Structures are given as C-alpha cells and as structure tokens.
Amino acid sequence: MTDPVVEVTHLRKTYGPKVAVDDVSFAVQPGEIFGILGPNGAGKTTTVETLAGLRTADGGTVRVHGVDTQRDPAAVRDILGVQLQEATLHDKITVAEALRLFAGFYSDPADPADLLALLDLTEHAGKQFAKLSGGQKQRLSIALALVGNPKIAILDELTTGLDPQARRATWDLVERVRATGVTILLVTHFMDEAERLCDRLVVIDAGRVVAEGTPTQLIDGLEGGRTVVVRFAPADVERGRRELAVLADRDAEVEGVAPVDGSEVEYAVTGTRRVLFSLVPALAAADLVPDDVRTVTRSLEDVFLAVTGRSYDPEAQPALAGEGGTS
C-alpha cells in the first residue's frame, strides 16, 4: 500500500465543555473517495475543518502530504481544495466571474473553461449566483474547490437539500472528479451516498470513530440473523400464513413471522443466517409457490445499529455551538 495522503491521528477538538471530536484517527490513500459518515452533530465538519487548518485542534495531529496543517496551513493551500457546506457567494457574481476570481488566488490554477465543461456549467457561465438552482450551486462549489488544481478535495454535505435527481447527478460528478486523479474526502450524513460513492469510510458518532472499512466489509462483517420477505398470491395467503406459523414453531432457524407494514400478502420471516434454507423447502413441501421471495439487503444503517445500539437518525443530534451548522 502506498503512503497515505491524509493522516489524522488522535484528533481532539472541544468547544468549551462540549467535546466535538474525541480521539479520531484515520488515513486516506491517494485516489480514494474516503467518506466521513455520521449524524448531525457527530463532529464530521469540525474534523475536516481542523484537517484543513481552519480550526485549531486541542490535541492530536493532522497531516496532508506530510505537512502538519495545524502548524503550516498555508503550505497545503495549493494541494487541498475545500467545499464547505455553509459557503456562499454574492448574489450578483456570475459563475464565470467566481471561477476567475478564485483562480487568481493560486499560482497554477486550473483552466476555468475546463472546469465549466467538467461540471456541466458551460451554458450557465453567465448566470448570477442567486439565479442558480441548488444543484447548479453545488456544481459551482465543486468547481471552486478544484480551481486551484488540488490533489485532495474536501466535499462537505454536498447533496443536502437537493432533490433525488440532483443528488444522483452530483454523485456522478463526484466520480467524474475522482477519475481526474483527485483524492476526495466526502463528508455526509446520507447512508446511501456513502455506500454508493466511498471506497472506504469512517463512521463517526458523538465525536468518535465507531466503525471503519469499505462499505462491503462493514456490512458483510455484521453478525446476527437475516430477514426474508415472502409474498403470496391472494388465494394462497391463508394457507401461506398457516405454513409460516408452523415453520416458526418447529424450525430452530426461524425466529419469527410478521406482516410487512400491515400488508395482507407480504410476510417478513426472520431468523438465523440460514433462515432462507428453511423457508424455501417448507414452501415447496406445502406446494406453495409464492409470487416473490427476497432477502432484505443489509446496509450501513444496520452497521450503525450494531456498533451504537440505536437506529440511525441523521438529525438525531443538534449541531455543536461554533460548528457553523450540520457537522
């Protein structure tokens, strides 16, 4: 494995009595999309703002390409691009003007025209910031984070407030940016976003790392049972319900049977990892052919539940004072 381009070691940050970041450590490899995932108030934004040298740490070290950004934040200005969730521009500045303005801050900036093309903004180059849609503003934020030709880009809560179509379009853009060779730190409280985009990630809760790995590793590493949903044709529901009740009573692999969200035709069969091997032969023996049988896909929400003991609620914790919003 190559040397990491970002190293965070035992990072700690407090706001008075509030501990926002508590002993957070992780490393990012070149070319990755690395996720920092957690609910609001978990300490995600504080972590990356401290990493970028925008906040002062109370403990630990943060390095970008070997540079301690707490001691010398200016040294990484040309290799680290940052898109912050609260960033905004003057209402009347146009897309092209904003890119030219920000390009002037760097010694070797990217060509604004190339960024406009990369992020599908060429036709909006003359549009004022106030007249951009939410998705267009997010694309401009990415462009401004990339205008200095950085090796690493921090993208903070990139798709908050966007409709589903705009979110998916933004995900495609993030993957397009990574394809240019930029390493991305993606801060998000959306589980589906992290699963779709991240090569690896840390899950942060109450300022601490509670899980780390690839999405697949974290999900596959879950212990415990499985759930299978079976749907019967209306004519078979009564017989199917009886057979499932018998199965739950007699088979050690089956722990319970319940209707799915009050449905009269769909039933969730829960049990051990081998519950499917018990269900299918039982249906076959009863000559019951269901309309559908599907296993319930596990997700990062199940990982969060396993490591914290509670269901994932992205809005569960209020943002900490001084963080400037969702963190």
Side-chain angles (χ1 to χ4, degrees):
M1 183 176 288
T2 58
D3 292 335
V5 294
V6 173
E7 295 176 277
V8 177
T9 307
H10 303 304
L11 181 63
R12 180 177 174 86
K13 175 65 181 174
T14 62
Y15 298 104
K18 294 280 190 178
V19 180
V21 179
D22 187 9
D23 196 31
V24 165
S25 298
F26 60 84
V28 182
Q29 296 298 317
E32 282 191 308
I33 298 178
F34 186 90
I36 301 177
L37 171 68
N40 288 349
K44 306 185 302 297
T45 292
T46 295
T47 296
V48 294
E49 288 182 349
T50 306
L51 168 64
L54 302 176
R55 295 188 184 275
T56 303
D58 296 311
T61 59
V62 286
R63 295 184 180 276
V64 175
H65 277 275
V67 175
D68 186 332
T69 60
Q70 289 288 291
R71 294 185 177 182
D72 192 5
V76 297
R77 187 184 68 175
D78 288 340
I79 62 174
L80 183 64
V82 183
Q83 171 269 326
L84 298 176
Q85 66 181 99
E86 294 296 317
T88 189
L89 298 171
H90 192 282
D91 284 350
K92 293 188 176 180
I93 194 170
T94 67
V95 170
E97 289 169 344
L99 280 171
R100 288 197 297 269
L101 173 65
F102 277 64
F105 300 153
Y106 299 95
S107 58
D108 183 26
D111 185 336
D114 290 343
L115 287 177
L116 289 172
L118 175 67
L119 297 168
D120 298 329
L121 285 170
T122 301
E123 64 181 283
H124 306 293
K127 187 178 290 188
Q128 294 178 342
F129 181 77
K131 297 180 179 179
L132 298 175
S133 69
Q136 291 163 358
K137 287 180 179 179
Q138 293 295 55
R139 280 185 268 159
L140 176 57
S141 292
I142 299 174
L144 296 178
L146 298 177
V147 74
N149 265 329
K151 296 179 180 179
I152 304 163
I154 296 173
L155 305 179
D156 188 5
E157 299 290 3
L158 194 61
T159 62
T160 297
L162 300 186
D163 61 53
Q165 182 176 357
R167 289 184 71 218
R168 289 191 293 271
T170 303
W171 294 348
D172 291 340
L173 291 175
V174 172
E175 291 175 327
R176 193 185 306 175
V177 169
R178 192 264 290 274
T180 67
V182 177
T183 301
I184 295 174
L185 268 70
L186 181 72
V187 179
T188 182
H189 63 260
F190 293 121
M191 293 283 188
D192 58 342
E193 186 164 278
E195 285 189 46
R196 158 72 187 270
L197 291 176
C198 296
D199 300 305
R200 294 188 304 119
L201 57 92
V202 288
V203 181
I204 294 182
D205 183 48
R208 299 183 68 88
V209 173
V210 295
E212 180 176 4
T214 70
T216 299
Q217 286 171 343
L218 292 176
I219 293 167
D220 288 351
L222 289 170
E223 297 296 332
R226 296 290 187 269
T227 299
V228 179
V229 174
V230 56
R231 185 174 73 242
F232 296 108
D236 293 332
V237 168
E238 289 300 326
R239 195 158 60 94
R241 185 188 297 122
R242 289 196 301 269
E243 291 297 332
L244 292 180
V246 169
L247 183 66
D249 286 340
R250 297 180 179 177
D251 196 308
E253 307 293 346
V254 180
E255 297 170 359
V257 175
V260 175
D261 296 329
S263 171
E264 296 182 356
V265 297
E266 279 196 331
Y267 291 85
V269 183
T270 58
T272 70
R273 296 169 65 93
R274 299 177 59 83
V275 65
L276 182 64
F277 298 156
S278 293
L279 173 64
V280 172
L283 294 178
D287 197 26
L288 274 168
V289 180
D291 283 350
D292 184 44
V293 176
R294 68 181 186 277
T295 56
V296 176
T297 302
R298 306 185 108 186
S299 70
L300 288 175
E301 293 194 28
D302 298 299
V303 173
F304 189 85
L305 175 62
V307 298
T308 67
R310 69 179 195 277
S311 297
Y312 185 76
D313 180 357
E315 306 297 333
Q317 301 181 47
L320 294 171
E323 287 197 274
T326 307
S327 61

